[in-house]
Amino acid sequence: MGQKVNPTGIRLGIVKKHTSVWYAEGEEYANNLLVDLQVRDFVKKRLANASVARVEIERPAKTAKITIYTARPGIVIGK
């Protein structure tokens, strides 16, 4: 019987990019991870009708850049 491998995990860094790009140490890592999960849940609930495919989060320095990939951008920007 073969080993089961997560298809996303095996492709990270080769074919697919990480969905969060930032670095933190110690307790700050746990806090950033929790905030990332909360942001993703908020965006997916708030934009449920916009067909959100993925949410990418980058944290350069003390700012955050959130990129939302959607099939219906008109709903996101409010048209």
Side-chain angles (χ1 to χ4, degrees), residues 4-54:
K4 305 296 187 277
V5 178
N6 188 329
T8 302
I10 198 164
R11 291 177 178 90
L12 278 177
I14 300 169
V15 179
K16 288 189 175 188
K17 296 187 324 181
H18 291 274
T19 56
S20 293
V21 180
W22 46 268
Y23 176 79
E25 291 184 4
E27 192 173 313
E28 187 178 346
Y29 179 87
N31 292 336
N32 284 351
L33 183 60
L34 181 63
V35 171
D36 278 8
L37 294 174
Q38 290 172 344
V39 166
R40 288 177 203 284
D41 287 342
F42 175 78
V43 168
K44 288 192 178 188
K45 286 180 185 174
R46 185 76 187 260
L47 301 174
N49 296 333
S51 302
V52 174
R54 72 178 187 258

